Amino acid sequence: MKFKNVFGSGPAHEEKIKRQIVESGAELPNNYTFETLIDHFNGSSNETYAMRYLVDTQYYNNETGPVLFYAGNEGDIWTFYNNSGFMTTTLAQEFGAAVVFAEHRYYGESMPFGNETFQVENLRFLSVEQVMQDFIKLLDEIPSKGVVVKDRAVISFGGSYGGMLAAWLRMKYPNKF
């Protein structure tokens, strides 16, 4: 069974999640996109796509707070946000942390080639290495949203494949995570 059949996807699904968050008394995270390279390694193309991410600063202490970074995996980022209360509420509140949820390329609205994203020739850019570079570039972007990264702990999280991404980010980029 496909992910979207089990967990839902699309605008109606996102609106349902947003209503649930508001009804629970929590604040909605900010929803952003930023332009990142489709191919971080070839160098022959400057083509970009809009990668979506969420930033939750409800409990953020911008003087000392760390960044809790969710490495998105195979699905819409709002679904993962909605199922991560321990991170978005408990840990964020206890540590005064900013929470950032990065949407994985080829999922949710982060489609590098729009309606042609899943054509065979475009799948070559769906790799762990490419997505990790997306996440590294996102760390350079989030200070523009008021989240301090320099000299702060950035702690990566994820579940299942996203958990593996979080571990690989920590191993490959210990200066960032």
Side-chain angles (χ1 to χ4, degrees):
M1 185 174 279
K2 291 185 177 183
F3 178 89
K4 69 180 181 178
N5 294 339
V6 176
F7 296 104
S9 66
H13 176 68
E14 286 182 24
E15 289 307 313
K16 178 182 173 188
I17 289 172
K18 290 175 186 177
R19 274 194 313 277
Q20 290 172 345
I21 292 168
V22 169
E23 288 170 2
S24 76
E27 293 179 18
L28 286 174
N30 291 311
N31 186 49
Y32 299 108
T33 60
F34 85 105
E35 293 296 315
T36 188
L37 291 171
I38 292 174
D39 184 1
H40 294 283
F41 303 108
N42 189 355
S44 64
S45 173
N46 290 329
E47 286 185 90
T48 63
Y49 78 100
M51 183 183 137
R52 185 165 62 158
Y53 64 103
L54 306 176
V55 176
D56 183 344
T57 56
Q58 180 173 231
Y59 303 108
Y60 185 45
N61 176 339
N62 67 356
E63 297 295 321
T64 60
V67 177
L68 305 179
F69 185 93
Y70 186 90
N73 41 320
E74 59 276 68
D76 181 287
I77 202 63
W78 280 99
T79 301
F80 295 114
Y81 180 88
N82 193 42
N83 290 304
S84 302
F86 180 70
M87 184 178 152
T88 60
T89 304
T90 306
L91 292 178
Q93 191 170 19
E94 183 171 333
F95 296 108
V99 179
V100 176
F101 272 66
E103 189 166 73
H104 195 296
R105 57 174 51 210
Y106 289 77
Y107 293 98
E109 292 183 8
S110 298
M111 299 292 174
F113 298 97
N115 292 335
E116 298 174 1
T117 294
F118 294 105
Q119 290 185 359
V120 172
E121 64 271 12
N122 293 333
L123 293 176
R124 70 184 185 271
F125 301 109
L126 177 57
S127 71
V128 168
E129 294 80 8
Q130 294 285 359
V131 77
M132 286 197 301
Q133 281 300 301
D134 290 343
F135 294 167
I136 291 296
K137 300 298 183 193
L138 178 56
L139 288 182
D140 295 336
E141 167 73 13
I142 61 175
S144 71
K145 306 306 181 215
V147 176
V148 179
V149 177
K150 184 176 169 48
D151 299 325
R152 298 290 174 87
V154 178
I155 305 160
S156 57
F157 289 83
S160 188
Y161 164 57
M164 294 305 301
L165 280 172
W168 293 328
L169 286 165
R170 173 70 176 113
M171 290 168 47
K172 187 160 176 123
Y173 303 100
N175 58 322
K176 299 279 189 179
F177 294 94

